[in-house]
Amino acid sequence: MMQWLLVMPIFIPLLTATACAFSFRKQSLSSVISWTGAIANLLVAILLIQTVISNGLQVTAFGDWKAPFGIVFVADLLSSSMVLITAIIGIAIVLYSTADLRSKPFYAIYHSLIHALLAGVMGSFLTGDIFNLYVFFEVMLITSFGLMVLGANKAQIDAAVKYVVLNLISTMVFLLAIGLLYGATGTLNMADLHAKVAELPDTTMMLISGLFLFGFAIKASAFPVFSWLPASYHHLPSAIVALYAALLTKVGVYALIRVFTIVFDLVDSGYQPLLIVIAGLTMLTGVLGAASQFNIKRILSFHIISQIGYMLMGLAIYTPLAITGAIFYIIHHIIVKANLFLIGGFLKRKQGSDNLRELGGAYSAMPWLALLFLIPAFSLAGFPPLSGFWGKFLVIKASLQTEEYLLAATALFVGLMTIYSMTKIWAEAFWKPLPENAPAPVTLSWKENCLYITPIAALAVITILIGFMVEPIYQLAETSAMNLLNPQPYINAVLGGDSISHTAPLSANGIAGGSH
Amino acid sequence: MSSIIFRTSAHIVTVLMLVFSVYLLLRGHNNPGGGFIAGLIAVIAFALLMLAETTDYVRQRLVYSPAAFAGSGILIALLAGLLPLFFGQPFLSGLWWGKIGSPLLFDIGIYLAVIGSVLMVLLNVEEELS
Amino acid sequence: MEFLWCLVVGLMTACGVFLMLERHIVRFLFGMILVSNAINLAIFVAGRLTRGNPPLIASDALLPAAGYANPLPQALILTAIVIGFGLLLFTLLLAYRAIKELGTADMDKMQHAETEQ
């Protein structure tokens, strides 16, 4: 059973992608295939997280080559919840793109690539082998390249050049790091690496972990190396940019968290002070960049960077509470950021522009959309009791506990500036009257409206749910953080060692080792 | 490129190379070879044909579009990975019935996927540039 | 022997990085090819070098003979080469399209994404 369940999150999207590519002549057929695939994926993800919660960590070895020699897929609480969030985003994006991309000539190929991208993302979450992580990163990367240039105009090609060039550098550094790590330890399995890395000389460890930090920082768009993100995101179709914004950078953060807890110990690697500085500057530059922009997609793109700062801050502080906060923040941010981009895309579809100067009057024309905008916007800015508040609260509390007062102050200031940006979008796009020379809003058919609004509303509901039902998600994040900082159960389960289960103290859900 | 010697010999060499690529594909499990390398050799064979004749000629001789080759190749490889799950073994395990097994099916999938995708790029680029 | 290979890797990386710092997109591409090949070599060297001992198990033995070559780096490199091949193909075509559409190969002059529409 486990063998099935762990493979399906990769298998279903890949199968759907192929089927979509075959049905490229018939738009309606490819839509149906794409929906079916996305729904099946969600069901599998729910089943997976249920199994993990009730039966503990799950492992399967590909081709029956046992770890540490073969490639293993591991579903612990963190990866299975990330898979669930990815599946939710997948469904939202697939629905939305049915309306948003219908006019594009490569409609079916878009769906095909979206599913292949989802396969890459889910594979990165589930794999327990660091070289396999590289392979899934590449799947993700090459499909994102494809989505970026499909039916592209001049500006999009230009954006794609920057995106491709900078991401290739990150890829190469990541590969080099893996090669050197293998040379130094002789293994690629993350669980096996945990013990072997600890025996390395300090300089070797510092070099290799530095390479990993650099490679993943580009992916996560951290402070000095984020420039590819605002240079490329704003020219993409809205459905695609929402998908990228929700998932791509977060996979980078996830990889950082995984590698710097299970493989390297962040404190031992010596990069903790650096990461604290990076986190602070990432927040600050992101939010200041957003303040100067007048294009909705660009404002939101810069806000991705500033929010990544909060997640890095959680990792950098490196206490259980901080990592709990970072995980909570990732879950919240994926949902909220995708939602904001979807709303921005809907405004663009209605008004033909996403420049704030040419927008206006959305509140009087579509009061319900204004309400739907306020939920993720307030959540992003961190108003209680929405989900963003709890994420910020956790990381800031953790920073105060470890006496990182400057970092806490930065985080609070960035929260304030986020409110400013959200107010700017609200005031310009929703509140002020439509400019005189602006074209009349496009009227959409009832069906199209439904396809646009359903994902937006669903994601808003999820945001509210996270906000009001903090307890279970907090517990989930806390147990995940405990398992990351105390990885012995994970290692025992993966390597099939003796089942002296060294359960994390707070594992209310019974995440015990040696489950197979 | 249009010399008659080249055009005539290209047809013969293409056939020989295709046979050789199938040979490499089949011996791949225990000897040097395998789906990826065999696929690349098959692509070179078609590229030769493309230089001797035209891209349209190659498309015609392929019957199905390169994209269809690539798609069905990925599909076959995926199914070959799925097959062992029905027998209670992990994903991608090798199932063997004598000399024929699911790894061979996987290799055939890779073979088709490589032919399809590389040829798709090659033919499109050739058409774009000429 | 390893030391010599390290020098080769270093030299290739240096040349590659030098080319990647150029603004011309095609030179950047050449630099990228060099660096990615250097990285593949680095993985190969990191997996230890041995001569003349293929990692094959004789039919009457349980383990391969001592001092056999490490097959894993080669598998890793093969994977990396295949992936690199795909990425390179894509980047090459993207560069071609960029030069054609934007009318320049100078990355500093590629500013179409920055202008407000």
Side-chain angles (χ1 to χ4, degrees), chain A residues 133-204:
Chain A
L133 180 68
Y134 166 77
V135 172
F136 279 112
F137 262 61
E138 296 311 298
V139 172
M140 207 169 77
L141 201 64
I142 195 98
T143 45
S144 70
F145 289 174
L147 282 171
M148 200 153 227
V149 297
L150 262 188
N153 52 19
K154 251 185 183 179
Q156 224 171 317
I157 298 250
D158 186 19
V161 169
K162 287 157 191 164
Y163 178 81
V164 168
V165 161
L166 290 170
N167 272 292
L168 282 180
I169 292 174
S170 132
T171 295
M172 290 193 298
V173 173
F174 182 22
L175 181 62
L176 179 64
I178 291 173
L180 294 183
L181 186 63
Y182 176 72
T185 60
T187 181
L188 291 166
N189 183 289
M190 291 198 218
D192 198 25
L193 278 168
H194 179 77
K196 299 206 166 134
V197 161
E199 292 165 11
L200 287 181
D202 275 356
T203 43
T204 315

Side-chain angles (χ1 to χ4, degrees), chain A residues 138 154 158 182-183 234-235, chain C residues 32 48 70 87 101 112-113:
Chain A
E138 296 311 298
K154 251 185 183 179
D158 186 19
Y182 176 72
H234 58 292
H235 282 295
Chain C
M32 203 195 84
R48 311 295 186 274
N70 187 352
L87 289 178
E101 294 258 334
H112 293 266

Side-chain angles (χ1 to χ4, degrees), chain A residues 98-405:
Chain A
T98 317
D100 192 51
L101 300 171
R102 192 163 278 279
S103 56
K104 302 264 180 191
F106 304 105
Y107 176 77
I109 307 297
Y110 269 109
H111 276 285
S112 174
L113 286 175
I114 286 173
H115 281 282
L117 183 88
L118 288 177
V121 172
M122 298 208 187
S124 315
F125 289 146
L126 283 174
T127 185
D129 182 285
I130 205 152
F131 191 78
N132 201 230
L133 180 68
Y134 166 77
V135 172
F136 279 112
F137 262 61
E138 296 311 298
V139 172
M140 207 169 77
L141 201 64
I142 195 98
T143 45
S144 70
F145 289 174
L147 282 171
M148 200 153 227
V149 297
L150 262 188
N153 52 19
K154 251 185 183 179
Q156 224 171 317
I157 298 250
D158 186 19
V161 169
K162 287 157 191 164
Y163 178 81
V164 168
V165 161
L166 290 170
N167 272 292
L168 282 180
I169 292 174
S170 132
T171 295
M172 290 193 298
V173 173
F174 182 22
L175 181 62
L176 179 64
I178 291 173
L180 294 183
L181 186 63
Y182 176 72
T185 60
T187 181
L188 291 166
N189 183 289
M190 291 198 218
D192 198 25
L193 278 168
H194 179 77
K196 299 206 166 134
V197 161
E199 292 165 11
L200 287 181
D202 275 356
T203 43
T204 315
M205 185 155 87
M206 212 163 161
L207 170 73
I208 297 174
S209 56
L211 287 172
F212 274 112
L213 182 63
F214 179 72
F216 290 145
I218 295 183
K219 293 269 178 222
S221 73
F223 163 61
V225 285
F226 58 75
S227 50
W228 57 271
L229 193 150
S232 58
Y233 272 20
H234 58 292
H235 282 295
L236 290 168
S238 312
I240 306 301
V241 73
L243 182 68
Y244 284 20
L247 297 175
L248 292 191
T249 46
K250 256 58 73 188
V251 179
V253 177
Y254 169 87
L256 268 178
I257 291 181
R258 259 285 175 232
V259 166
F260 279 93
T261 51
I262 287 188
V263 179
F264 301 98
D265 187 288
L266 182 66
V267 181
D268 290 350
S269 76
Y271 284 107
Q272 192 181 19
L274 179 68
L275 198 61
I276 286 179
V277 176
I278 288 179
L281 288 175
T282 307
M283 283 190 270
L284 211 58
T285 41
V287 88
L288 291 178
S292 68
Q293 296 296 330
F294 258 87
N295 177 305
I296 293 186
K297 277 185 194 159
R298 287 204 103 172
I299 294 177
L300 293 175
S301 299
F302 272 107
H303 271 294
I304 300 175
I305 300 168
S306 79
Q307 309 289 314
I308 292 290
Y310 283 100
M311 299 165 206
L312 292 182
M313 176 176 158
L315 175 64
I317 295 168
Y318 212 66
T319 60
L321 184 68
I323 293 193
T324 308
I327 293 169
F328 192 98
Y329 212 101
I330 294 179
I331 294 173
H332 135 79
H333 181 254
I334 288 180
I335 303 278
V336 163
K337 189 54 88 177
N339 201 0
L340 282 172
F341 270 106
L342 293 183
I343 293 168
F346 185 62
L347 281 177
K348 171 155 190 182
R349 179 71 202 270
K350 282 293 246 189
Q351 302 284 351
S353 165
D354 46 15
N355 191 326
L356 286 178
R357 293 191 186 88
E358 294 161 22
L359 289 172
Y363 176 67
S364 53
M366 300 171 279
W368 38 270
L369 185 72
L371 180 70
L372 285 177
F373 170 75
L374 281 183
I375 294 166
F378 280 173
S379 179
L380 189 77
F383 282 26
L386 291 163
S387 57
F389 168 73
W390 301 105
K392 283 197 172 70
F393 175 72
L394 288 174
V395 285
I396 291 173
K397 187 176 170 202
S399 67
L400 291 177
Q401 275 178 358
T402 49
E403 301 182 349
E404 299 283 352
Y405 295 118

Side-chain angles (χ1 to χ4, degrees), chain B:
Chain B
M1 280 298 173
S2 57
S3 87
I4 190 152
I5 300 174
F6 175 64
R7 285 182 55 183
T8 319
S9 58
H11 283 265
I12 301 166
V13 174
T14 300
V15 174
L16 288 177
M17 282 175 86
L18 284 177
V19 173
F20 182 61
S21 81
V22 174
Y23 166 70
L24 276 184
L25 166 69
L26 294 179
R27 81 201 281 260
H29 190 73
N30 292 323
N31 289 302
F36 181 74
I37 290 153
L40 283 183
I41 289 181
V43 168
I44 297 172
F46 285 116
L48 197 68
L49 201 60
M50 181 182 83
L51 291 176
E53 303 282 345
T54 59
T55 52
D56 285 337
Y57 179 80
V58 176
R59 281 185 198 277
Q60 232 170 36
R61 298 309 296 266
L62 279 173
V63 184
Y64 299 104
S65 78
F69 273 95
S72 49
I74 293 170
L75 212 59
I76 291 173
L78 277 176
L79 292 179
L82 193 68
L83 207 56
L85 287 176
F86 291 102
F87 294 85
Q89 290 181 27
F91 190 63
L92 284 174
S93 299
L95 291 176
W96 291 98
W97 297 278
K99 292 250 174 199
I100 295 174
S102 65
L104 181 66
L105 198 62
F106 187 81
D107 256 357
I108 292 174
I110 299 297
Y111 180 69
L112 290 177
V114 169
I115 292 184
S117 49
V118 182
L119 214 53
M120 182 159 58
V121 174
L122 210 61
L123 290 175
N124 281 329
V125 169
E126 175 73 15
E127 277 160 13
E128 166 90 26
L129 290 179
S130 60

Side-chain angles (χ1 to χ4, degrees), chain A residues 35 38 42 85-99 114 118 239 242-243 335 338-339 342 451-452 454-459 462:
Chain A
W35 289 344
L42 183 65
I85 298 283
T86 311
I88 292 172
I89 292 295
I91 250 183
I93 299 294
V94 161
L95 268 183
Y96 188 90
S97 48
T98 317
I114 286 173
L118 288 177
L243 182 68
I335 303 278
N339 201 0
L342 293 183
L451 285 173
Y452 272 114
T454 316
I456 295 177
L459 292 181
I462 294 176

